[in-house]
Amino acid sequence: MAFQAYADPTLAGADALTVQRFLDTATGEHHYIAGDAETAAFEQAQAGGSWVHEGVAFTVHTPVSGTLDY
């Protein structure tokens, strides 16, 4: 299992990350971002482009060091 996603952010705990979803209206592709700083940076970089911020997608537990394998 890669992660657990929650529609209700209170179920993920205090250290949860809220994942935002963006849609590229030109291609239909989605991009997911966790964290306020990353969301703001993406919005600034894509300003005037075809990306639309669709809002909160889901909430996940904050990764613990060493728990993710690539």
Side-chain angles (χ1 to χ4, degrees):
M1 176 175 21
F3 61 89
Q4 292 178 313
Y6 299 90
D8 179 352
T10 61
L11 298 176
D15 293 331
L17 291 173
T18 300
V19 178
Q20 305 288 328
R21 183 169 115 162
F22 290 82
L23 169 67
D24 185 339
T25 58
T27 65
E29 294 179 12
H30 287 95
H31 185 74
Y32 294 87
I33 298 175
D36 293 337
E38 285 185 53
T39 299
F42 187 82
E43 287 178 319
Q44 183 178 5
Q46 302 303 327
S50 58
W51 288 95
V52 175
H53 186 187
E54 295 186 308
V56 173
F58 50 84
T59 303
V60 297
H61 296 285
T62 301
V64 178
S65 179
T67 60
L68 298 177
D69 293 325
Y70 297 98

